[in-house]
Amino acid sequence: MLVKEDLLEKCDLACKELRILQVSTSDIAGGAARAAYRLHTALLKQAHNSTMLVARRNSGDPSVKLFTGSPIPYIRMHRVWRRLLISGQSLRYNLGKSNKFEIFTDDRTMYGASLLEKIPPCDIINLHWIATFVDYRAFFKNISANIKIVWTLHDMNPFTGGCHYDNGCGKFVTGCEACPQLGSNKRNDLSRQIWKRKYDAFSQISPERLHIVTPSYWLAMEVKRSFLLGSYPVTVIPNGVDGEAFIPFDRGFARNALGIPEDSKVVLFLADLITSKRKGFTFLLQTFDFLKNIPDIFLLSVGSGTLTIDANIPWLHLGEISNDRLLSLAYSSADVFVVPSIQDNLPNTILESFACGTPVVGFSIGGIPELVHPGETGDLAQPFDVKDLSNKISNLLLNSELCRSIGENCRQFVTNNYSLEKQAERYMQLYRQITQ
C-alpha cells in the first residue's frame, strides 16, 4: 500500500514528464512575450520539460525554437500572397490612426496551417500572445485532439474582432461591428469578419480541450462576458517576476549612475512604447501642472518612441532598455512609478517596480487595483482624474518616510505572492489537472 509521500512523489514525477510547448509570437520583445519567456525559464529551473516556439527570437536561448517556414519557392510565394491579402484588407480602414487604440490584428496569418508541421511532440500547448503568428482556423481545426491547450491571455485580442484593448467599446460581447478603431460605421466590416472567423475556429474546440488563463481577475471577468470564449474554463494565474534579476539598488548610486541629481523628487514613467495612447503618458504630463511647485521634481521615462513635452521640468528619457539590471537602476532611482493607463491587464512593470522597492501610483482600472493597494504598495486615483492622480503622487513625494515604508512593503509583497517559482507551480498544477 502506497503511503502519502509515495503518492506525492509519483504525482511529481508525472508532472515532470509532461511535455509542454509554449507558443508565442516573440520570446522577449514586449511585455507579453517576456511574461511567457519568464514562465518557460521558471519551469525549466524546476526541471519540467518546457520548450518555447516563436516567430521572432531575440534571446538566443537554445530552449527557444525559432519557427521557420518552408523554403520551397511555391510555398514561400503562397506565404507572401497570404500576407498581402491580409494586409490589403486592412488598408481600406484608417487603421492605426485612431486616438483610442494602438494595435489591431487579424486572426489569419501568412503561415496558415504550416505552423502545425513544426509542432514537436507534446502533451500541452500553452498559447500566449500569438498575433500574426498562429492562424486561428488552421490551428484549432487541425491540432491533434490528444493535445490539451492552455491559452494565457495577455490582453483582450483573442475574444475581440481585432483590437487588443476595447477601450470600453464592449462590442466583443455581441459580435463586433462598426469598429471604432477601424473608423467604421458598417456592420459587416473587418472586425465583424474577424469575429465570425474566430467563432468558426473556436467551434472546433470543446471546453474539455481548451483552458483559459488570465493574469488578472479583471481580464477573467471580461472573458466570461465574451461570446467567443465565455463557455471555456478560466483560471487566474498572475504573472511572476524574477526577484534576483530585479533588485533594489541604493537610490544615490542609481541616480549617480543615470546622471540624475541626488536630491531630486523622481517620477518614473515606463512602457514598451511610450507614445501608446493607452499607456496614458499625456495624463502624467498634465499632472505636472499641479506638481511643478514641488522642489526638485524630475521626470524619468523609459521605452521606445519619441515624445516632446512643453512642461518646464527636468526630464531624462533613457529610451528602450531590455537589460533587467539596467531597468532595476531606473526603478530604484525613482521615488514613485506612475502607471496612468487608460486600460490594462496586470502590468509586468508594476511587479518589477515592486521588486525594486518602488511604490506605484495609477488609475483604479483593469487589473491595476489587484496589485496596487493604497497605503501598502502605492496609491490609486479615480480613473482619468488628473488632479486626484497629482494628489496621490505628491502625497508620496512629500512624505519620504511613508514612501520608504511602502517601498519596503512592495519588495516583501512581490516576494511573498508573485515569485516566478509560485507562478510555475500554479501552472504545473493546472497542467496536471487538465491532463488527468
Side-chain angles (χ1 to χ4, degrees), residues 14-32:
C15 292
K16 291 180 182 179
E17 291 169 356
L18 286 176
R19 298 165 299 176
I20 307 156
L21 178 66
Q22 312 288 341
V23 178
S24 174
T25 301
S26 175
D27 51 358
I28 58 173

Side-chain angles (χ1 to χ4, degrees), residues 286-338:
Q286 292 173 38
T287 67
F288 282 93
D289 290 336
F290 301 94
L291 300 174
K292 59 187 178 183
N293 293 327
I294 295 178
D296 302 315
I297 195 165
F298 190 100
L299 174 60
L300 175 66
S301 59
V302 178
S304 62
T306 303
L307 288 172
T308 58
I309 65 173
D310 296 327
N312 187 24
I313 54 171
W315 180 28
L316 173 63
H317 180 57
L318 298 177
E320 186 176 7
I321 299 177
S322 58
N323 182 277
D324 292 344
R325 286 304 170 90
L326 290 179
L327 282 171
S328 294
L329 280 175
Y331 287 119
S332 298
S333 69
D335 292 280
V336 60
F337 172 44
V338 182

